[in-house]
Amino acid sequence: MRIVVGVCGGIAAYKVVGVIRTLVLQGHDVHVIPTDEALRFIGAPTLEAISRNPIATDLFDGVAEVKHVALGQSADVILIAPATANTIAKLATGLSDNLLTNSVLASTAPLVIAPAMHTEMWQNPATQHNVATLVDRGAHIVWPESGQLTGSDVGVGRLAEPEVIVDAVTAATGPKDLAGKTVVVTAGGTREPIDPVRFIGNRSSGRQGVALAEAARDRGADVVLIGANLEVPPPIGIEFAPVSTVAELRDAVVSRATGADIIVMAAAVSDYRPVNVAETKMKKDAVGDAVSIDLTANPDILAELGAQQHPRPVLVGFAAETEADADALAALGAGKLERKNADLIAVNRVDEGRGFGAADNEALIVASGGRIVATVDGSKRVVADAILDAALEVQR
Ligand code: C5P
């Protein structure tokens, strides 16, 4: 592929060298357009050596070959990383005062934008509005991460890691094989109240479900994300329904199940809830040293959907297990699939650095009879795409 990489003037520009290198090593023809400000942070020789192509900077260079439009027209995909608030604003309004913004305006290729800036600039309503405008027009945003910024401050605004940006470029140019389909995804972890301040919850961050929603959206689906207490923001460009308890999650899923083609139940759902929810905070002096809370079973939403008559949506469930052995994991998945009458179960191995809260995941995708359809190990996005591939296969 011919990839145009726009680099803006932000300190994160140095991280983009790793992205360009990976794209080149994957065999792509990479052409870098740094803004003048980007060249104050990173040298032209670095970008030329790493991209193995001369960089293009000046709008008035190569006028004879109409370079201000030629680069954009010939691109298969344009990546802008880091994208500053300034360049995002220009793109949202269609301004074209440098070679990069001219190239974007002259291009019909997918546009991938990886913003990086200080938290206040990112959260400013102007920036958020501009980002939403670009998403509406079909741009793919690689969401900035939370963490240490350039100074001593910590917050959202860090450029996503190079491998996440590379995955986004691959995804943006990938197939639209879910066009015309509706995909419902549940994500996060439910909370069952004990009293006004306490709840029974779990460690699910919602990252895998959010990655599924993003992947389905990028593949052309209409996506409904039902999110229970997500630790990460829901993606733009989808319908988002926030919930908290299992009862709320159930109502949200059941009301959207009609008309759905695929339902992926990635949420960690509490099997039990307290029989009585205290109206006021339970006080230690009143309850004493030993407390027991009566629990009652929650409805099993996946089993309820699985009990529906065919034709029904393709149903994908999740199982988080701690067994290390693939055969044991597959057997657990097969049992769950049968009990709930699901079509696929994604069995996650949960341990340190994998599963809950982590960026990466490892999953076995099990179909009926315990058949292992895929074994995936990678980012949650890679796992998400493998699950959607398998769900599409069931639909065929
Ligand atoms: O039974 P278990 O909790 O292990 O099953 C996990 C799968 O079933 C997940 O896909 C989860 O979203 C779903 N589930 C459900 N309703 C419940 C419990 C789990 O839909 N009450």
Side-chain angles (χ1 to χ4, degrees):
M1 275 193 307
R2 192 175 163 95
I3 304 177
V4 166
V5 179
V7 183
C8 303
I11 185 65
Y14 78 92
K15 279 179 150 183
V16 173
V17 173
V19 175
I20 296 168
R21 179 155 179 80
T22 306
L23 294 172
V24 169
L25 292 178
Q26 284 179 347
H28 301 299
D29 180 24
V30 179
H31 294 262
V32 182
I33 309 180
T35 61
D36 290 344
E37 293 74 20
L39 292 175
R40 300 179 68 143
F41 287 94
I42 182 166
T46 304
L47 294 171
E48 297 200 330
I50 296 294
S51 71
R52 302 182 186 171
N53 273 316
I55 59 163
T57 48
D58 195 334
L59 200 48
F60 298 100
D61 269 355
V63 176
E65 69 253 36
V66 215
K67 199 188 256 168
H68 73 289
V69 290
L71 274 167
Q73 282 172 335
S74 65
D76 294 308
V77 56
I78 298 183
L79 164 69
I80 305 185
T84 52
N86 182 46
T87 292
I88 288 171
K90 287 186 200 173
L91 296 176
T93 49
L95 274 174
S96 53
D97 63 347
N98 60 18
L99 186 59
L100 176 58
T101 45
N102 266 270
S103 303
V104 173
L105 220 49
S107 171
T108 54
L111 177 61
V112 181
I113 299 173
M117 64 197 75
H118 277 279
T119 307
E120 294 79 0
M121 296 173 82
W122 171 250
Q123 288 175 339
N124 189 295
T127 306
Q128 288 299 308
H129 182 79
N130 291 332
V131 170
T133 301
L134 292 168
V135 171
D136 275 348
R137 286 193 209 130
H140 304 262
I141 310 293
V142 192
W143 299 97
E145 292 173 1
S146 219
Q148 177 87 52
L149 300 172
T150 317
S152 56
D153 41 351
V154 172
V156 67
R158 272 167 66 96
L159 185 73
E161 290 306 317
E163 54 278 15
V164 176
I165 298 174
V166 170
D167 280 356
V169 171
T170 312
T173 50
K176 300 287 174 214
D177 51 0
L178 288 168
K181 299 203 188 293
T182 300
V183 178
V184 176
V185 180
T186 69
T190 57
R191 290 180 182 177
E192 295 294 356
I194 297 171
D195 71 10
V197 293
R198 304 181 179 94
F199 56 80
I200 298 175
N202 59 67
R203 292 183 195 279
S204 178
S205 65
R207 284 190 173 79
Q208 182 62 71
V210 166
L212 274 153
E214 274 174 351
R217 178 200 62 196
D218 291 347
R219 290 167 70 161
D222 288 328
V223 180
V224 181
L225 175 67
I226 301 168
N229 310 298
L230 301 183
E231 280 175 22
V232 283
I236 294 185
I238 59 150
E239 182 190 336
F240 177 58
V243 296
S244 188
T245 64
V246 178
E248 290 166 7
L249 182 74
R250 181 196 164 275
D251 288 351
V253 177
V254 170
S255 70
R256 287 169 176 87
T258 320
D261 296 283
I262 298 169
I263 301 182
V264 188
M265 296 285 295
V269 181
S270 174
D271 292 321
Y272 298 95
R273 67 177 184 279
V275 175
N276 298 306
V277 180
E279 271 175 29
T280 52
K281 186 178 170 189
M282 288 164 70
K283 299 269 193 327
K284 210 165 146 190
D285 335 343
V287 289
D289 284 345
V291 192
S292 61
I293 298 169
D294 285 336
L295 301 178
T296 184
N298 269 325
D300 191 316
I301 308 163
L302 185 54
E304 185 179 334
L305 297 170
Q308 286 177 343
Q309 298 246 313
H310 280 273
R312 59 150 173 77
V314 174
L315 295 177
V316 186
F318 268 75
E321 306 288 355
T322 44
E323 272 79 354
D325 173 32
D327 289 341
L329 288 174
L332 286 167
K336 193 157 292 187
L337 185 141
E338 205 160 305
R339 278 196 303 284
K340 303 195 184 219
N341 200 25
D343 298 292
L344 297 166
I345 296 279
V347 191
N348 280 147
R349 201 157 68 73
V350 190
D351 63 17
E352 252 172 66
R354 298 267 152 197
F356 288 138
D360 280 357
N361 214 350
E362 197 179 312
L364 281 181
I365 303 172
V366 181
S368 66
R371 186 170 58 91
I372 298 174
V373 183
T375 308
V376 254
D377 185 358
S379 67
K380 288 191 170 172
R381 174 60 187 248
V382 169
V383 172
D385 277 312
I387 289 170
L388 294 172
D389 289 346
L392 261 180
E393 205 49 51
V394 172
Q395 259 215 335
R396 287 206 179 101

